[in-house]
Amino acid sequence: MPHAADNRTLKHGCIVMASGVGARFGGNKLMAELCDAPLVGHVVRATDDLFSRRVVVTCHADVAALCETLGAQVILHDEPCRNDTVRLGMEAMDGCDTVTFVQGDQPLIRPASIVALLRAAERDAAGAVRRDAAGRGVADVVGCDAVGAALADTAEDYAMGLDAVKCDVDAAAGCDAAESDVAGAAKHDAVGCNAAESGVARIWRASFDGVPGAPVLFPSWAFDELRSLPHGKGGGFVTKAHAECVRTIEVSSEWELFDVDTRDDLEQLQTHVARCGSAGLPR
């Protein structure tokens, strides 16, 4: 059964981040097994059939070989830093309206939670079109200043169609503070114009119990910043720079956002799945 967002009007891209060296794990953690499959294999399967473009970016030949057998496009590289991984992935996202970053070490992320991010972006775009058709300039209503109406639409959409995932529609903290600073206001205005052009105003993050994590969906107005991140930085650098434009989607379980950094982490996941059985695995 397809998990793609309903009434899709945007071209969605996905970058699976799979270049971690696993220093704390003591080796390539992405090929460590959970329920007889490598961690990264679970992640790739969770993203199947959701995106117009999907690429796995990795520095591991065994990860590349596995992901290719699973039908994923792969970029195999030897670049040293996280910003390199992001840049290489973004090079494969030409023509996309959004890009969602998914971590290769989060094996319990659910397809439905990823779909929730895509639906939120679709609602952003649909709301911009409706408001423009009503005779108001999109640049006047896209962004923090007019977030209420669009988020209400998003909440209604989730209530009707995705009862396992809740939409966090709290107003983001910091908008007023950003606008009180002249430089911050100038940046905010520029982002608003770019958002109007792309139709998707917000960065959408998965969260649990109010704590944001990954996956993270970025609209096209953030692409240039993602391509030119500072040395060693990842997408979190952009979310912090535009905190006033970040919204969250609440996922169903803390285990969805649980990432494996150490062997103890893997043991925790294995214990959780053994206790819950098949219900503990993403569907």
Side-chain angles (χ1 to χ4, degrees):
M1 180 177 180
H3 293 285
D6 297 336
N7 302 317
R8 177 175 296 187
T9 60
L10 302 175
K11 187 173 183 179
H12 298 290
C14 174
I15 299 173
V16 178
M17 299 284 282
S19 295
V21 297
R24 294 174 58 192
F25 191 84
N28 181 7
K29 62 182 179 179
L30 298 171
M31 293 298 290
E33 290 198 350
L34 178 70
C35 295
D36 301 319
L39 300 182
V40 70
H42 290 288
V43 175
V44 170
R45 290 189 180 96
T47 62
D48 280 344
D49 302 322
L50 300 185
F51 297 95
S52 300
R53 291 179 181 268
R54 178 186 61 176
V55 64
V56 179
V57 186
T58 185
C59 59
H60 304 288
D62 50 357
V63 170
L66 169 70
C67 293
E68 286 175 345
T69 66
L70 296 175
Q73 178 187 351
V74 174
I75 297 175
L76 180 62
H77 69 97
D78 59 359
E79 300 285 352
C81 297
R82 190 169 183 82
N83 60 294
D84 297 315
T85 302
V86 173
R87 174 177 49 79
L88 290 169
M90 290 300 300
E91 289 175 358
M93 296 292 112
D94 285 350
C96 290
D97 299 296
T98 76
V99 170
T100 300
F101 286 84
V102 183
Q103 303 303 312
D105 60 356
Q106 287 182 260
L108 299 189
I109 188 66
R110 296 171 65 243
S113 296
I114 300 173
V115 168
L117 297 174
L118 303 183
R119 284 186 175 178
E122 294 283 341
R123 294 295 293 188
D124 267 0
V129 170
R130 287 198 304 272
R131 288 189 294 271
D132 191 39
R136 287 172 287 175
V138 177
D140 294 332
V141 296
V142 171
C144 291
D145 295 338
V147 70
L151 286 177
D153 287 342
T154 303
E156 179 184 3
D157 183 52
Y158 284 91
M160 293 175 60
L162 197 59
D163 54 11
V165 183
K166 301 191 295 296
C167 179
D168 177 3
V169 297
D170 292 337
C175 290
D176 293 340
E179 291 174 359
S180 67
D181 182 310
V182 174
K187 179 177 72 173
H188 177 70
D189 290 343
V191 169
C193 292
N194 292 336
E197 293 173 2
S198 71
V200 181
R202 288 166 282 273
I203 298 168
W204 289 95
R205 301 189 67 171
S207 72
F208 181 76
D209 201 19
V211 180
V216 185
L217 178 149
F218 290 94
S220 60
W221 57 258
F223 287 4
D224 286 344
E225 293 179 56
L226 291 167
R227 295 186 188 104
S228 57
L229 289 167
H231 180 79
K233 299 295 185 180
F237 182 85
V238 178
T239 63
K240 290 177 182 177
H242 301 291
E244 73 280 4
C245 294
V246 176
R247 300 293 182 273
T248 59
I249 298 295
E250 194 80 356
V251 301
S252 63
S253 166
E254 63 182 314
W255 296 102
E256 288 196 61
L257 308 188
F258 190 93
D259 61 322
V260 175
D261 289 326
T262 67
R263 294 191 182 274
D264 286 344
D265 292 339
L266 180 59
E267 290 180 7
Q268 287 187 58
L269 274 185
Q270 291 169 334
T271 300
H272 165 71
V273 172
R275 183 174 62 249
C276 297
S278 60
L281 291 173
R283 305 184 188 201

